[in-house]
Amino acid sequence: MPRRPSAPATPLARTRRARRIDGRLTEAFPAARCELDFSTPLELAVATILSAQCTDARVNMVTPALFARYRTAADYAAADRTELEEMIRTTGFFRNKATNLIGLGQAVVERYDGRLPDTLAELVTLPGFGRKTANVVLGNAFSVPGITVDTHVGRLVRRWGLTEESDPVKVEMALNGMLRPAEWTMFSHRTIYHGRRVCHARKPACGVCVLADLCPSYGAGPTDPVLAAPLVTGAERPHLLAMAGVGDLAGDPPAPAVAGADIAEGIGADGGGAPRAGDAVEVAAAVGGSAGTGSS
């Protein structure tokens, strides 16, 4: 059983710790990617707006028909509201999301000749966009590095002692200073994967975590590998347990309660833990409601 390390106390120590964590996560999740399905920047923008307060899995069930019906920004600009709302109803907040999608289409047509812009400064002016959504689109559709601070990333980097900030923009700036720009986008994906599959909000699988020797929050969840192994979920489970030296436990089924609790949540949601102010603002941008609407 590893000893719980202390939190890094200096900027240099935090940078070293962040890069060691990123290296370990790279080994743990070599196939990490954006879990929203898309083929164009506009499709990713739409999917990301729909993912507020909704799981990526649910969004991916809705978007094939949606993308076949609405192929361009002009299509969204001219969309029949009733039809659009019905197509996205199951993602939640469908009326506000429809308003944002129609407004997005209109803004892109009127201001950018139908092509989604590729800069942060321009994207954050569009309906349904905040900084988090913009970084998702930039990093995954335009290959412009950016750290997406969703609720998984925010809570994990605090657990790791990399920052005490709770404001997503301040968290992003702190991480930008620790990690090489080339790693920013993938660090976000790897951290989200780890948060969904291992480091759950309510009950992290500490006893089989590949970051146990680097995490000052080790012990927040069960440290006994036999108790922790069933908490690990996802297709990567055998690989993660093997990395932790307990590959023989891979045959034990994951715990059903955890599997439904806080994994596979959308960009704008985290199934466990209370919403933070910055997250609420981002969700409000995506769904068009007030910052206090819903939970993230």
Side-chain angles (χ1 to χ4, degrees):
M1 181 181 299
R3 292 193 309 168
R4 182 170 62 187
S6 59
T10 67
L12 179 58
R14 285 190 287 273
T15 295
R16 288 174 172 168
R17 182 73 59 87
R19 294 184 180 187
R20 289 185 66 192
I21 287 172
D22 187 45
R24 198 80 57 85
L25 291 178
T26 300
E27 183 181 357
F29 303 106
R33 61 175 182 85
C34 177
E35 294 188 280
L36 293 169
D37 295 337
F38 70 97
S39 59
T40 69
L42 180 63
E43 287 184 356
L44 180 56
V46 169
T48 306
I49 289 172
L50 294 180
S51 74
Q53 301 294 79
C54 181
T55 67
D56 290 353
R58 169 58 61 182
V59 172
N60 289 339
M61 293 173 64
V62 168
T63 50
L66 186 70
F67 294 162
R69 176 68 179 84
Y70 303 100
R71 297 181 180 276
T72 68
D75 291 336
Y76 286 100
D80 176 82
R81 171 177 289 276
T82 300
E83 179 186 13
L84 179 58
E85 287 181 357
E86 189 59 33
M87 293 190 76
I88 65 174
R89 177 182 293 270
T90 58
T91 69
F93 297 97
F94 61 93
R95 293 188 178 90
N96 288 326
K97 289 178 180 179
T99 296
N100 279 329
L101 293 182
I102 293 171
L104 173 67
Q106 293 171 343
V108 171
V109 168
E110 293 169 4
R111 289 154 49 189
Y112 301 106
D113 197 28
R115 295 179 64 86
L116 195 73
D118 59 1
T119 70
L120 182 67
E122 292 172 311
L123 287 173
V124 296
T125 69
L126 298 174
F129 269 77
R131 188 178 182 94
K132 178 171 58 180
T133 302
N135 274 330
V136 172
V137 172
L138 288 172
N140 296 284
F142 294 114
S143 298
V144 177
I147 291 178
T148 301
V149 183
D150 75 341
T151 45
H152 291 292
V153 172
R155 66 180 175 80
L156 263 63
V157 298
R158 285 185 288 271
R159 276 184 173 173
W160 296 333
L162 300 181
T163 181
E164 295 180 356
E165 298 289 353
S166 59
D167 178 80
V169 176
K170 292 181 179 179
V171 173
E172 179 188 344
M173 295 300 103
L175 293 173
N176 284 352
M178 300 176 204
L179 299 164
R180 300 175 181 88
E183 299 298 323
W184 288 351
T185 299
M186 289 308 302
F187 176 82
S188 300
H189 291 324
R190 295 163 189 146
T191 301
I192 290 169
Y193 267 54
H194 191 65
R196 288 174 173 170
R197 291 152 173 78
V198 181
C199 194
H200 310 296
R202 297 187 181 97
K203 196 175 184 181
C206 294
V208 292
C209 178
V210 299
L211 301 177
D213 61 319
L214 299 174
C215 182
S217 298
Y218 175 78
T223 58
D224 184 337
V226 174
L227 298 178
L231 301 177
V232 179
T233 61
E236 303 85 356
R237 187 169 182 269
H239 171 61
L240 295 173
L241 294 180
M243 278 187 67
V246 290
D248 57 313
L249 298 178
D252 297 335
V258 173
D262 66 346
I263 59 171
E265 294 298 332
I267 293 294
D270 182 332
R276 296 181 179 274
D279 300 322
V281 169
E282 184 78 8
V283 170
V287 302
S290 67
T293 300
S295 62
S296 57

